[in-house]
Amino acid sequence: MPELPEVEAVRRSLDAVLTNARIADVDIRRPDLRAPFPRRFRSRLTGQTVRSLTRRAKYLLASLSSGETLVMHLGMSGSFRIESRGAAEPGRADDASEPDRHDHVVFHLSSGAIVTFNDPRRFGVMMLLTRDQLARHPVLSRLGPEPLSPDFDGAALARATRGKKTALKAALLDQRIVAGIGNIYACEALHVAALSPFRQASTIATPAGAPRAAAERLAAAIKGVLLRAIDRTSAPRYRSTRFRVYDREGEACPRSGCRGIIRRRSQAGRSTFFCPVCQL
DNA sequence: ATTGAGACCTGTCGGC
DNA sequence: TGCCGACAGGTCTCAA
């Protein structure tokens, strides 16, 4: 599920329960996810109050009263479930649902709310970092600009891809160039911008690194695609939507006037969906 | 320095 | 029905 828009939707739903909440206890049901849990994870979280819940790229950052930051990544299959324990009637079944074998971390908040992290594939990550560790983190500190921020535009994209011989789509997936885009929205944005996923990344800029029209179009397409996805994903009645090209191999290109048929090709080990007619 | 392939782990889906 | 391979929205590491 989780590229930037989905992680942002998760952040919004968690924010109301978590921000200003005190962590009463934490159940850690296994020793690791993609990486082992931090040492003394439980004791370092217990008693802390969550000051804020923000997002950077596909990471969720819960800033704690201790000064440490709980950094969470959903990997490929991570999700959170929010339940409120019916503290009122003891003896009566509360609305905490059946535990699942993939419920790995359970946060018990002093409000009575229970937040459960579920992740079947266990590609998720939880880290607990000091201010210093956060600033120096080898991955987090190298993340590229947030695509929805004002400092991400055609010029920024052109600068970041300058001289890059790699394919344009691979560049979009490189979190150091722009943060938060995954396989689906890379395909979608390239289609909106009518750019081939296979063209060399550097071709959207002049040799000096100045943006060409393609860079401006691509930056705008990225913003548009992500914004629309956030709106849809955060909507009260969320329905997983179909995409323009992703997972539509063999279907007609949705661009008006284009007669192309969407194709799928494997690129750097991932499926790329594109229209061979209008994406140049 | 890049870049592709493989690994991590489980679930689901289509084909036989 | 059951088994098997291919594939999945993310990252990391390693060899070329």
Side-chain angles (χ1 to χ4, degrees):
Chain A
M1 195 213 305
E3 295 185 32
L4 185 152
E6 294 78 20
V7 178
E8 177 58 24
V10 169
R11 191 201 66 77
R12 291 179 185 185
S13 69
L14 240 39
D15 187 41
V17 199
L18 230 39
T19 298
N20 296 321
R22 184 174 158 276
I23 300 171
D25 199 2
V26 186
D27 274 0
I28 298 130
R29 306 257 175 97
R30 49 170 302 119
D32 57 7
L33 296 172
R34 191 174 84 207
F37 286 105
R39 35 182 282 283
R40 299 180 44 239
F41 192 49
R42 181 176 180 214
S43 64
R44 285 159 75 192
L45 287 174
T46 303
Q48 298 307 312
T49 299
V50 177
R51 296 295 188 207
S52 64
L53 183 67
T54 55
R55 180 191 55 72
R56 174 78 170 103
K58 300 169 196 167
Y59 293 87
L60 290 168
L61 289 81
S63 165
L64 306 177
S65 44
S66 62
E68 294 193 302
T69 300
L70 171 62
V71 179
M72 301 175 281
H73 193 290
L74 302 175
M76 204 86 121
S77 60
S79 64
F80 286 96
R81 197 171 69 242
I82 303 170
E83 286 150 323
S84 52
R85 147 117 91 226
E89 287 107 319
R92 188 170 147 271
D94 52 29
D95 30 341
S97 48
E98 288 297 292
D100 177 284
R101 56 188 293 236
H102 301 302
D103 286 349
H104 304 311
V105 183
V106 183
F107 298 92
H108 297 267
L109 306 178
S110 51
S111 62
I114 298 172
V115 174
T116 303
F117 179 70
N118 182 284
D119 184 7
R121 291 180 74 179
R122 273 185 268 134
F123 287 169
V125 169
M126 289 204 186
M127 310 182 270
L128 200 42
L129 304 179
T130 63
R131 222 177 280 294
D132 206 49
Q133 290 169 328
L134 187 60
R136 295 165 195 272
H137 189 275
V139 171
L140 293 172
S141 68
R142 288 182 177 82
L143 288 171
E146 281 293 318
L148 296 177
S149 77
D151 46 295
F152 176 74
D153 56 14
L157 195 52
R159 244 180 287 121
T161 53
R162 177 181 177 185
K164 290 247 176 264
K165 300 211 175 148
T166 188
L168 187 51
K169 185 192 165 212
L172 292 186
L173 292 178
D174 184 340
Q175 304 295 299
R176 295 166 305 181
I177 290 180
V178 49
I181 298 175
N183 200 39
I184 293 181
Y185 297 111
C187 293
E188 296 294 288
L190 286 165
H191 184 266
V192 171
L195 294 170
S196 166
F198 309 102
R199 72 191 257 161
Q200 200 170 292
S202 64
T203 59
I204 63 169
T206 67
R212 298 185 196 276
E216 304 290 5
R217 245 168 39 227
L218 184 51
I222 289 169
K223 287 176 192 272
V225 159
L226 295 179
L227 280 173
R228 263 174 279 135
I230 290 175
D231 282 349
R232 283 193 316 240
T233 313
S234 308
R237 279 179 49 76
Y238 167 64
R239 291 177 56 216
S240 90
T241 345
R242 303 228 43 205
F243 302 100
R244 298 167 59 94
V245 293
Y246 184 84
D247 206 19
R248 285 184 179 274
E249 183 181 23
E251 296 183 36
C253 174
R255 190 185 310 282
S256 79
C258 179
R259 319 239 56 177
I261 300 293
I262 303 306
R263 291 184 41 192
R264 161 199 186 139
R265 265 173 64 181
S266 185
Q267 186 179 21
R270 328 283 314 267
S271 286
T272 293
F273 296 87
F274 66 105
C275 172
V277 174
C278 65
Q279 290 183 253
L280 303 172

